[in-house]
Amino acid sequence: MISPILIPLFGISIPLVVLIGVFIIRPWLAFREKQMEIEAKMVAERAAQYAANTGRLEERVRVLERIVTDRGIDVADEIEALRDGSLN
């Protein structure tokens, strides 16, 4: 059996819970959603920067590979000469 005191308590608590949900929880969820969108944009920008940097590094490696394969023995000799200090 339900106590007669619980009926008005339920009558007050249900609208109170709804008001808390509408005025506190819903704006907080909207704030979190916006915050996550901003973070996602920042992560996407960083990923684009890393991709551009990776592209530049790959191009530099290609140039170095071309230099080494085109003049492989000469480059090795020049490096050794620089180490010995005989190349001016």
Side-chain angles (χ1 to χ4, degrees):
M1 192 84 196
I2 296 178
S3 173
I5 296 174
L6 290 178
I7 294 174
L9 187 61
F10 284 135
I12 293 171
S13 64
I14 292 174
L16 186 61
V17 169
V18 171
L19 290 174
I20 289 172
V22 169
F23 291 112
I24 295 175
I25 296 174
R26 186 181 290 171
W28 181 77
L29 289 174
F31 168 76
R32 288 291 298 155
E33 183 178 357
K34 295 259 185 203
Q35 188 178 25
M36 289 172 54
E37 288 173 3
I38 292 169
E39 288 177 13
K41 287 179 185 178
M42 290 172 54
V43 168
E45 288 176 10
R46 270 190 262 142
Q49 290 173 352
Y50 290 147
N53 192 31
T54 300
R56 285 192 300 271
L57 290 174
E58 287 176 352
E59 183 59 33
R60 291 178 73 180
V61 168
R62 280 190 211 103
V63 169
L64 291 172
E65 287 174 345
R66 200 169 342 137
I67 290 170
V68 169
T69 57
D70 290 349
R71 301 180 7 186
I73 295 175
D74 294 336
V75 171
D77 291 339
E78 289 176 17
I79 291 172
E80 288 302 318
L82 287 171
R83 284 186 184 152
D84 295 338
S86 62
L87 187 65
N88 292 332

